[in-house]
Structures are given as C-alpha cells and as structure tokens.
Amino acid sequence: AISAGISVAMVWASADCYFAVGPTPTATAANAALPANTVLFVPVQPGDKISFLQIGSGGTGHVTECL
C-alpha cells in the first residue's frame, strides 16, 4: 500500500497492460492502458494500491513512491 505522505507514484511495466489505482483496485480492460516500458506518474493517496492486468503474456509491473 502507498505510504503516508505520498501523493505521486511512478508506474511502468515491461509488457503492455492495464492498471488501476485505489484502496482495493482490480485492473480490467476498462482501465487505463499502459504501453510496455512507458513511465507514468499517477496521483495516489496513502493506503492506495496499484493493480496490473497483462494485455498479452509475461511482463512485470513496477511501482515507485515519489512524493
């Protein structure tokens, strides 16, 4: 879960995927798409989690707390 005092997270994935942010997220094809190896900075709140759903096969999703 996102730590206290954090309002921005950096997300990227090694394969095309969808992602969702929230207290109990479940990524679906209706969520934002994230192309492989693309870095996004997304607003978050303490306690949020980030969920990834692969579009193809393989790949790893990454989250880094920023601010």
Side-chain angles (χ1 to χ4, degrees):
I2 300 296
S3 302
I6 301 296
S7 62
V8 175
M10 179 181 73
V11 297
W12 73 276
S14 59
D16 295 344
C17 65
Y18 299 102
F19 76 98
V21 179
T24 56
T26 300
T28 70
N31 292 113
L34 179 62
N37 301 312
T38 300
V39 173
L40 287 180
F41 292 90
V42 296
V44 293
Q45 297 181 26
D48 277 353
K49 298 174 185 169
I50 300 177
S51 171
F52 295 89
L53 173 66
Q54 299 170 334
I55 292 175
S57 62
T60 303
H62 302 271
V63 177
T64 302
E65 295 177 335
C66 295
L67 302 171

